[in-house]
Amino acid sequence: MNSAQNSGTPSTIADERFERGLALLRKVGGRQQPAVLDSTADIAPDLGRMTVAFGYGELMANDRLTLQQRQLATIGALSAMGTAAAQLRFHIDGALNVGVSPAEVVEVLIHTAVYAGVPAALNGVAVAREAFRARPELAYEPTDTGERDQRYERGLAKLAEVDGHAGDAVVASLQDIAPDLGRYIIEFAFGDVYSRPALDLKSRELASVAMCTALGTAAPQLRVHIHGLLNVGGTREEVVEVITQMAGYAGFPAALNGIAAAREVFAERGEG
């Protein structure tokens, strides 16, 4: 927040945060009166106002990530957590409102299978189906890459592109106890999922960092994917921003733990 936003009385500053958040939420939600204000008005109106003022007026009120990137990250996190179908639907609609394509939405949901399991991905896709049905003008056609062979070779090449030696180390660490799991990581996660063309690698890694942060149970994998995001063109600022955004969706402890992981990665890369 800049000095101009810090000037004025506390009530004026609070009003500015709310109005700034309201403008952004209207852009994402496509409604003049955001649903979160109506749905909380009878029981917790302050929560609705906090959601607007903090969530949109502070947490996302900068251009460190685009609105499209923010929505893809949020869809990934909510789908991975599996506990917020209504909010996932809102953010799928929001993604479409700010220019994300249906194919990109579906790719993030498919990507969820790698980090939160196939049930989470299936449930996310069911929510997306409802959203697409409500917008027949989208004329969405599912992507079928037609690629069924050479999964291992394709996955190995994609793993090297994203994670380099870090990915090799994960697979090698499984050879003495669960070599099939290492093969599945290469063939399924990278050969089948990461190699799909509808979503670029930077978007995939942004979503992966968001998912691993929100889940709160994957600190080693989060560090690998922070490295991965930086490897495919992400910046330190973007890493910090997507983790910070998760404070609004998975809570401050998850975001703080994510930032601790990022600090370790930056130090390893000489960026601390």
Side-chain angles (χ1 to χ4, degrees), residues 41-56:
D42 62 335
I43 187 170
D46 283 350
L47 177 59
R49 192 171 181 88
M50 288 174 186
T51 301
V52 175
F54 172 67
Y56 290 86

Side-chain angles (χ1 to χ4, degrees), residues 29-41:
R31 291 180 49 173
Q32 186 67 16
Q33 175 70 2
V36 69
L37 295 177
D38 292 335
S39 65
T40 58

Side-chain angles (χ1 to χ4, degrees), residues 8 31 54 100 144 150 155 228 232 236:
R31 291 180 49 173
F54 172 67
V100 174
D144 185 349
Q150 298 180 324
V232 298
R236 172 175 168 157

Side-chain angles (χ1 to χ4, degrees), residues 18-240:
F18 180 79
E19 291 302 322
R20 189 166 60 247
L22 195 59
L24 182 56
L25 185 51
R26 284 169 176 162
K27 184 180 296 186
V28 171
R31 291 180 49 173
Q32 186 67 16
Q33 175 70 2
V36 69
L37 295 177
D38 292 335
S39 65
T40 58
D42 62 335
I43 187 170
D46 283 350
L47 177 59
R49 192 171 181 88
M50 288 174 186
T51 301
V52 175
F54 172 67
Y56 290 86
E58 290 186 290
L59 198 58
M60 293 190 279
N62 63 66
D63 59 1
R64 294 173 198 141
L65 293 173
T66 67
L67 278 180
Q68 292 92 336
Q69 289 173 324
R70 290 190 183 280
Q71 289 304 104
L72 287 172
T74 300
I75 289 169
L78 292 175
S79 177
M81 289 190 294
T83 56
Q87 289 74 25
L88 176 59
R89 170 62 190 272
F90 174 84
H91 286 286
I92 289 173
D93 284 324
L96 298 172
N97 289 341
V98 300
V100 174
S101 72
E104 290 172 320
V105 169
V106 170
E107 284 303 315
V108 169
L109 296 171
I110 291 173
H111 199 83
T112 305
V114 176
Y115 298 98
V118 173
L122 290 172
N123 291 340
V125 166
V127 175
R129 181 183 292 112
E130 295 175 3
F132 296 167
R133 282 177 177 168
R135 302 169 79 137
E137 74 279 3
L138 294 173
Y140 169 65
E141 291 292 336
T143 298
D144 185 349
T145 65
E147 296 179 354
R148 301 291 183 268
D149 299 323
Q150 298 180 324
R151 296 168 74 215
Y152 190 88
E153 292 76 10
R154 186 170 63 247
L156 203 59
K158 191 61 67 175
L159 176 61
E161 187 178 352
V162 175
D163 291 332
H165 296 305
D168 293 339
V170 171
V171 174
S173 71
L174 297 168
Q175 291 305 304
D176 64 335
I177 185 169
D180 281 349
L181 180 57
R183 178 168 58 83
Y184 296 150
I185 289 171
I186 293 172
E187 292 182 345
F188 176 69
F190 287 89
D192 289 346
V193 177
Y194 265 84
S195 296
R196 292 170 62 83
L199 195 66
D200 62 86
L201 281 179
K202 182 176 176 180
S203 296
R204 288 190 183 278
E205 285 303 281
L206 276 167
S208 297
V209 170
M211 291 177 198
C212 290
T213 300
L215 285 170
T217 56
Q221 292 75 22
L222 175 58
R223 288 191 291 272
V224 167
H225 288 288
I226 292 171
H227 276 296
L229 178 52
L230 296 169
N231 290 343
V232 298
T235 66
R236 172 175 168 157
E237 186 177 58
E238 288 171 327
V239 169
V240 170

